């Protein structure tokens, strides 16, 4: 579905190669400053120029803006909700529909009924607890705010959904809801990338994980090898032990 | 089932609720109080109700007409401020676009369209189109410098303010223009004995921009950009395009104001016209509840704000307050309005029912 070859943007990341199939959930993890947010913001068209190639459904694409990325079916839920996702002067339904205003608009006029209808469906599926659609976004708890942002991206009908720290500042109950929805979306053949610094979260939802260290992919883990210990070893710049590596290759083959 | 006993507390509660939840409620109340005051001051010392009403209407038409140009500019300024920006160049853009209209239409020897042998209606239409285009381009130029050059709006428009006026003054020195009298009809045409064309332009533009700000993608994306630029960008909003269009729209509105000014007076004082206009426009927007930090603004509020300032000027005039003191009242109104508006704000716009 998505393939990335040699993507480089100094000084954040270099020579990134990976691919993801429809319905697959892959994780990206590492320590602070590993460059994974910048990497996916670049793929989403929010950062500056980069070298390398990005293929969507085997077509080479050059995404220069977030507007373009959304048109191509890419969605990115950013980290630091308050700074990067919440628009505090707008109400719940506006925050939940901003990404799809151009898609449904007729001659530039926002198609409000359509947005309400779409959001209503996601509101039930995501179990968002809220008052009126027109209440301020600040009236919601952290977990419900995050679900509204998630609903915004589901409204865009993405084929690739990138979730950067999706459970940051979210209560336990809402965390479980978010994990459930991630697994359900993968069943619906959406390719999902989860960026997280919490190893247990990655292990819980992902099929494979890429561990980054200082802007490069230090290693890839899957199945039995996805342990907190292995992830930490790679994240701190270490190499996998010989026998573990053998085991790891074996796993990849089957 | 309500008895007269509970009606009053209900009204008080309703009022309090509106006061703290409706952003424009206090502004509207202030405006109504101003209008009542002004009506009282105007007095009822007339022969009949008819003649009283006549002079009341005349007074109002004067107020509205005198503030139409600046009112139109204040509307555009509201959009600019909503994005978190500012436009100090409106006065100079007014002079530049006004001068451009005069160069095109002068009936003397130097009139550009006259030299091309164009006159009458075709010349007026070409002039209007070109002047609007010129205003739009000047605004777009400011917008490009802000977005592509990544220079703060304050700096860019401060520079543009100096450049536009200075260049205009240089080229227009010793240039006496006379405009064809038909062209002056744009602003001075009488409708039923009232000279209300500028008021009609203002009202139409206010309605269009109001609708834009509430219902269109562009209008709501302006709020998003001003409220949280990063989040807007990460939600697929083309932030640079929105800003560019806002400044271009500002330029377009200024050129409309310039046409109104030029056709009202028939000439323009290039060194003084439009001076301080940016501050009046900002004041109107701020009194109307627009936040200088962006993300919050009301087109209707700006109309109220403009009217509050205008009625206040009229009142000061009727009271005979010395001219030098009048600006101080404007200052108090601006500060007082912001103090009044320190309160919670509910969402508004396209998706609120």
């Amino acid at each position: 579905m998505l393939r990335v070859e040699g993507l480089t943007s100094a000084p954040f990341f270099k020579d990134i190669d990976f691919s993801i199939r429809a319905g697959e959930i892959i994780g990206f993890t590492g320590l602070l400053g590993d460059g994974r947010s910048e990497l996916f913001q670049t793929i989403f068209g929010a950062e500056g120029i980069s070298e390398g190639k990005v293929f969507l459904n085997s077509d080479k694409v050059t995404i220069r803006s977030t507007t373009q990325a959304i048109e191509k079916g890419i969605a990115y839920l950013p980290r630091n909700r308050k700074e990067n996702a919440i628009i505090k002067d707008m109400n719940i339904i506006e925050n939940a529909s901003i990404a799809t205003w151009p898609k449904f608009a007729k001659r530039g006029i926002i198609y409000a009924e359509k947005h309400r209808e779409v959001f209503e469906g996601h509101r039930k599926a995501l179990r968002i607890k809220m008052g009126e659609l027109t209440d301020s976004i600040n009236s919601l708890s952290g977990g419900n705010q995050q679900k509204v942002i998630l609903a915004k991206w589901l409204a865009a009908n993405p084929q690739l959904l990138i979730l950067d720290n999706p459970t940051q500042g979210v209560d336990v109950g809402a965390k479980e809801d978010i994990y459930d929805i991630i697994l359900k979306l993968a069943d619906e053949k959406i390719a999902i990338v989860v960026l997280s610094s919490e190893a247990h979260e990655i292990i819980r939802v992902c099929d494979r994980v890429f561990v980054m260290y200082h802007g490069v992919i230090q290693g890839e883990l899957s199945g039995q090898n996805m342990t907190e210990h292995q992830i930490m070893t790679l994240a701190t710049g270490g190499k996998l032990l010989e026998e573990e590596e053998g085991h790891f290759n074996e796993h990849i083959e089957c | 089932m309500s008895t007269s006993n509970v009606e009053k507390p209900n009204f008080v509660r309703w009022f309090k609720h509106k006061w703290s939840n409706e952003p424009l409620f206090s502004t509207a109340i202030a405006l109504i109080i101003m209008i009542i005051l002004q009506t009282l001051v105007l007095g009822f010392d007339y022969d009949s109700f008819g003649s009283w009403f006549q002079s009341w209407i005349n007074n109002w038409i004067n107020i509205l007409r005198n503030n139409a140009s600046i009112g139109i500019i204040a509307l555009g300024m509201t959009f600019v401020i909503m994005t978190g920006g500012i436009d100090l160049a409106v006065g100079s853009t007014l002079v530049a676009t006004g001068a451009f209209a005069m160069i095109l239409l002068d009936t003397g020897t130097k009139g550009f369209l006259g030299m091309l042998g164009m006159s009458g209606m075709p010349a007026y239409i070409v002039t209007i189109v070109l002047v609007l285009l010129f205003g739009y381009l000047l605004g777009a130029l400011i917008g490009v410098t802000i977005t592509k050059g990544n220079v703060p709006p304050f700096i860019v428009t401060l520079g543009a303010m100096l450049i536009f006026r200075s260049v205009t003054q240089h080229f227009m020195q010793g240039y006496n223009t006379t405009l064809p009298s038909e062209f002056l009809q744009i602003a001075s045409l009488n409708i039923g004995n009232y000279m209300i064309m500028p008021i009609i332009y203002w009202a139409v533009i206010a309605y269009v921009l109001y609708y834009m700000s509430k219902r269109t993608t562009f209008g709501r994306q302006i709020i998003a950009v001003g409220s949280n630029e990063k989040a807007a960008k990460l939600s697929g909003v083309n932030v640079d395009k929105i800003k560019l269009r806002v400044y271009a729209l500002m330029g377009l509105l200024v050129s409309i104001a310039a046409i109104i000014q030029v056709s009202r007076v028939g000439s323009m004082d290039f060194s003084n016209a439009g001076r301080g206009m940016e501050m009046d426009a900002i004041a109107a927007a701020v009194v109307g509840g627009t936040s200088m930090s962006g993300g919050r603004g009301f087109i209707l509020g700006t109309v109220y704000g403009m009217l509050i300032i205008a009625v206040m000027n009229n009142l000061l005039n009727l009271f005979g307050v010395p001219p030098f003191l009048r600006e101080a009242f404007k200052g108090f109104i601006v500060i007082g309005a912001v103090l009044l508006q320190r309160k919670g704000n509910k969402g508004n716009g396209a998706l609120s029912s």
Side-chain angles (χ1 to χ4, degrees):
Chain A
M1 210 248 96
L2 174 83
R3 195 167 88 244
V4 172
E5 282 177 11
L7 202 63
T8 300
S9 172
F12 303 115
F13 54 85
K14 62 171 188 282
D15 286 330
I16 303 293
D17 295 305
F18 74 93
S19 66
I20 179 169
R21 293 187 304 274
E24 201 179 13
I25 307 176
I26 64 169
F28 266 80
T29 189
L31 302 177
L32 200 68
D34 59 359
R36 62 177 189 273
S37 288
E38 289 82 1
L39 167 62
F40 282 96
Q41 285 186 10
T42 302
I43 292 172
F44 188 57
E47 291 287 325
I49 333 125
S50 58
E51 292 162 47
K53 292 172 189 157
V54 176
F55 299 88
L56 258 183
N57 298 323
S58 51
D59 299 325
K60 187 172 182 300
V61 291
T62 317
I63 294 167
R64 287 201 187 78
S65 71
T66 55
T67 319
Q68 255 183 345
I70 293 170
E71 281 163 10
K72 294 205 184 300
I74 303 176
Y76 171 76
L77 182 139
R79 62 168 56 194
N80 294 341
R81 180 174 57 246
K82 209 175 161 194
E83 284 161 39
N84 298 331
I86 295 294
I87 296 168
K88 65 177 193 316
D89 293 301
M90 301 199 315
N91 59 34
I92 294 172
I93 181 65
E94 285 186 299
N95 268 284
S97 59
I98 178 168
T100 40
W101 288 346
K103 183 176 160 191
F104 293 129
K106 288 177 188 158
R107 275 175 278 123
I109 296 161
I110 293 176
Y111 187 6
E113 295 79 31
K114 180 76 185 172
H115 290 296
R116 286 209 192 91
E117 186 191 310
V118 169
F119 179 66
E120 208 51 45
H122 294 310
R123 192 181 67 79
K124 289 199 187 83
L126 294 167
R127 289 196 280 166
I128 301 174
K129 290 179 204 72
M130 50 173 270
E132 299 291 316
L133 287 174
T134 49
D135 284 352
S136 163
I137 186 77
N138 300 314
S139 67
L140 300 181
S141 69
N144 285 306
Q145 284 186 358
Q146 190 73 334
K147 286 175 179 179
V148 168
I149 304 301
L150 192 54
K152 165 176 86 181
W153 291 119
L154 297 184
N157 243 331
Q159 44 173 338
L160 171 67
L161 177 59
I162 303 158
L163 303 167
D164 195 348
N165 260 0
T167 59
Q168 186 182 21
V170 164
D171 55 281
V172 186
K175 258 185 192 174
E176 288 303 318
D177 287 345
I178 289 173
Y179 296 147
D180 288 347
I181 203 86
I182 292 174
L183 296 170
K184 212 182 105 213
L185 291 169
D187 286 341
E188 292 167 17
K189 291 294 163 207
I190 296 176
I192 299 170
V193 182
V194 179
L195 280 61
S196 176
S197 46
E198 290 177 49
H200 66 89
E201 183 167 296
I202 296 278
I203 295 164
R204 164 101 198 251
V205 295
C206 296
D207 305 320
R208 289 186 286 147
V209 60
F210 292 88
V211 185
M212 290 184 67
Y213 175 71
H214 283 309
V216 295
I217 293 179
Q218 187 76 8
E220 181 189 347
L221 300 167
S222 61
Q224 297 293 313
N225 276 319
M226 273 205 303
T227 62
E228 291 203 26
H229 177 74
Q230 293 278 49
I231 289 173
M232 274 322 289
T233 310
L234 289 170
T236 48
K239 295 275 181 219
L240 292 174
L241 293 176
E242 205 57 41
E243 54 177 353
E244 276 168 345
E245 190 128 37
H247 184 68
F248 162 67
N249 285 337
E250 214 176 274
H251 187 86
I252 280 292
E253 280 159 19
C254 55
Chain B
M1 68 166 268
S2 63
T3 66
S4 58
N5 271 349
V6 294
E7 250 163 36
K8 203 183 166 202
N10 266 351
F11 172 76
V12 172
R13 209 178 305 145
W14 170 84
F15 190 86
K16 276 188 175 162
H17 177 81
K18 285 272 181 190
W19 185 271
S20 54
N21 287 310
E22 297 259 334
L24 292 183
F25 193 71
S26 54
T27 320
I29 296 281
L31 179 58
I32 291 168
I33 292 172
M34 285 292 216
I35 294 173
I36 292 172
L37 256 179
Q38 181 219 25
T39 310
L40 291 176
V41 172
L42 209 57
F44 300 97
D45 195 12
Y46 295 93
D47 299 338
S48 64
F49 177 78
S51 65
W52 169 82
F53 189 67
Q54 190 63 40
S55 82
W56 192 82
I57 286 286
N58 281 338
N59 187 41
W60 261 99
I61 286 176
N62 274 329
I63 293 176
L64 292 172
R65 192 179 49 221
N66 289 335
N67 289 283
S69 298
I70 179 73
I72 289 168
I73 289 171
L75 297 171
M77 189 66 86
T78 308
F79 273 4
V80 170
I81 296 175
M82 273 200 265
T83 66
I86 197 156
D87 192 343
L88 301 176
V90 289
S92 302
T93 311
L94 182 95
V95 167
T97 48
F100 185 61
M102 291 179 154
I103 294 171
L104 289 173
L105 267 188
D106 184 21
T107 49
T109 49
K110 286 177 180 163
F112 185 73
L113 292 179
M115 284 198 294
L116 291 176
M118 204 185 264
S119 66
M121 202 41 112
Y124 307 147
I125 291 170
V126 168
T127 302
I128 290 170
V129 170
L130 288 180
V131 170
L132 296 186
L133 194 69
F134 185 54
Y136 189 87
L137 286 177
L138 288 181
L141 196 66
I142 290 174
V144 167
T145 317
I146 289 169
T147 55
K148 298 293 169 218
N150 207 10
V151 188
F154 190 95
I155 307 292
V156 175
T157 56
L158 179 67
M161 172 174 97
L162 301 171
I163 296 165
F164 293 168
R165 189 179 296 272
S166 148
V167 172
T168 307
Q169 277 181 293
H170 174 77
F171 282 107
M172 300 302 284
Q173 57 186 331
Y175 197 121
N176 282 320
T177 46
T178 19
L179 293 174
S181 57
E182 292 101 330
F183 186 75
L184 305 188
Q185 295 297 314
I186 290 175
S188 340
L189 186 69
N190 278 357
I191 294 185
N193 279 334
Y194 296 114
M195 221 172 84
I196 56 170
M197 287 314 287
I199 305 172
I200 292 173
Y201 301 135
W202 184 16
V204 169
I205 291 168
Y207 178 74
V208 170
L209 294 193
Y210 172 77
Y211 187 82
M212 231 185 210
S213 75
K214 293 286 186 193
R215 297 270 180 265
T216 65
T217 313
F218 173 59
R220 299 315 292 169
Q221 283 180 337
I222 290 174
I223 297 275
V225 168
S227 180
N228 188 341
E229 195 173 317
K230 190 88 193 288
K233 187 178 181 188
L234 288 173
S235 300
V237 176
N238 192 334
V239 173
D240 283 357
K241 194 172 114 193
I242 296 294
K243 284 189 181 172
L244 177 63
R245 284 170 67 183
V246 164
Y247 286 95
L249 177 66
M250 179 82 253
L252 179 75
L253 292 173
V254 172
S255 64
I256 294 175
I259 292 175
I260 294 174
Q261 289 279 72
V262 166
S263 63
R264 252 192 88 188
V265 191
S267 68
M268 194 176 247
D269 171 3
F270 299 113
S271 64
N272 289 316
R275 259 194 214 280
M277 204 172 227
E278 60 285 342
M279 291 305 158
D280 287 341
I282 294 166
V286 167
V287 170
T290 299
S291 153
M292 288 303 289
S293 51
R296 188 183 135 96
F298 311 94
I299 289 294
L300 201 56
T302 301
V303 175
Y304 292 169
M306 195 68 235
L307 291 178
I308 287 175
I309 294 173
V311 172
M312 187 201 61
N313 277 333
N314 184 244
L315 265 176
L316 298 176
N317 201 5
L318 293 172
F319 275 130
V321 173
F324 283 128
L325 265 181
R326 287 181 196 166
E327 290 282 297
F329 282 89
K330 207 192 283 179
F332 283 124
I333 290 259
V334 170
I335 297 170
V338 175
L339 285 175
L340 267 182
Q341 286 155 4
R342 284 284 150 88
K343 60 197 179 189
N345 155 43
K346 271 194 158 188
N348 64 93
L351 295 151
S352 22
S353 45

